[in-house]
Amino acid sequence: MESMNTITIRFWGITARLAGTEQRVLQLSAGARVADAVEHLRQDAALSGELPRCAYAVGDDMVGLDHPLADGDELSVLPPVSGG
Amino acid sequence: MNPSVTLPHIQQQPLQLEALLAQTERPDCGALAIFAGAVRNHHEGAAVSHLIYTAHPALCNRIIAAIEQETREQFNVPECRIVHRIGELQIGEVAIVVVVRAPHRAEAFAALRYAVDSTKHRAPIWKEEFYPDGSSSFVAGCCIADGFEPPDHLKLLPKKENT
């Protein structure tokens, strides 16, 4: 049986509004990368248009799309920022 | 929505300029440059009633700390402090304070602009505007994803090599 990792997606800013929630739990195959999680999120029609402008973080570290995800990771979706 | 947050660079409580001035006082600095950004009652022609700022607290705190360090190194200024407020802010309340102290004014002004603009362009903070009719929208911001270049004046200079 294929090993699965549990990944919690944290939505920030407008992505929480578009997703209709602040977090969502995904089951992804072991070895999955950030890009695989993003591909899953693209299936959400409300979110898909915003994703090309988003950055990603695991815990407190900014990560790229090829970053490997581990079981229990929290992946943040960071839309364009507007502080100040 | 953020839970109650008090970190060195992100806080829900009103910002205290006097505390930052006291913490950064130095006898070798003749220039003190301060920026305070307050909530405006309009944006792009629309009336605004109040704002809600949210932030990824730990990541934001780390990124602002890095901006402070870059600012000190790039502009050779001994003191740079940046604090941003989150939560609900009313018109006129201060959302960000940046304090720079330097021996002379030229580097203080340049460092201040870099620190303020870099925070606006890079810190994971989101501003939601609320309008008098009760509706709201997130302010279109600056993309921090890979491949999106910052404006030229926010690109880091190459480090000087010791010769």
Side-chain angles (χ1 to χ4, degrees), chain B residues 10-87:
Chain B
I10 294 289
Q11 64 181 53
Q12 286 185 308
Q13 299 80 9
L15 303 179
Q16 302 292 337
L17 175 60
E18 294 77 9
L20 288 178
L21 295 183
Q23 290 162 17
T24 57
E25 209 167 38
R26 293 178 62 110
D28 57 344
C29 289
L32 164 61
I34 302 168
F35 174 80
V39 177
R40 237 184 3 241
N41 68 354
H42 62 95
H43 179 59
E44 295 184 345
V48 172
S49 62
H50 65 281
L51 301 179
I52 291 181
Y53 286 96
T54 51
H56 185 308
L59 180 60
C60 189
N61 201 61
R62 178 193 283 193
I63 287 175
I64 291 179
I67 292 169
E68 286 183 346
Q69 184 173 346
E70 288 166 16
T71 304
R72 290 192 295 267
E73 291 174 355
Q74 291 279 312
F75 297 92
N76 199 26
V77 297
E79 293 286 350
C80 173
R81 289 292 309 276
I82 305 166
V83 187
H84 202 294
R85 193 173 168 199
I86 58 173

Side-chain angles (χ1 to χ4, degrees), chain B residues 135-152:
Chain B
S135 64
S136 71
S137 69
F138 282 90
V139 173
C142 303
C143 186
I144 56 173
D146 284 348
F148 285 81
E149 290 279 316
D152 283 345

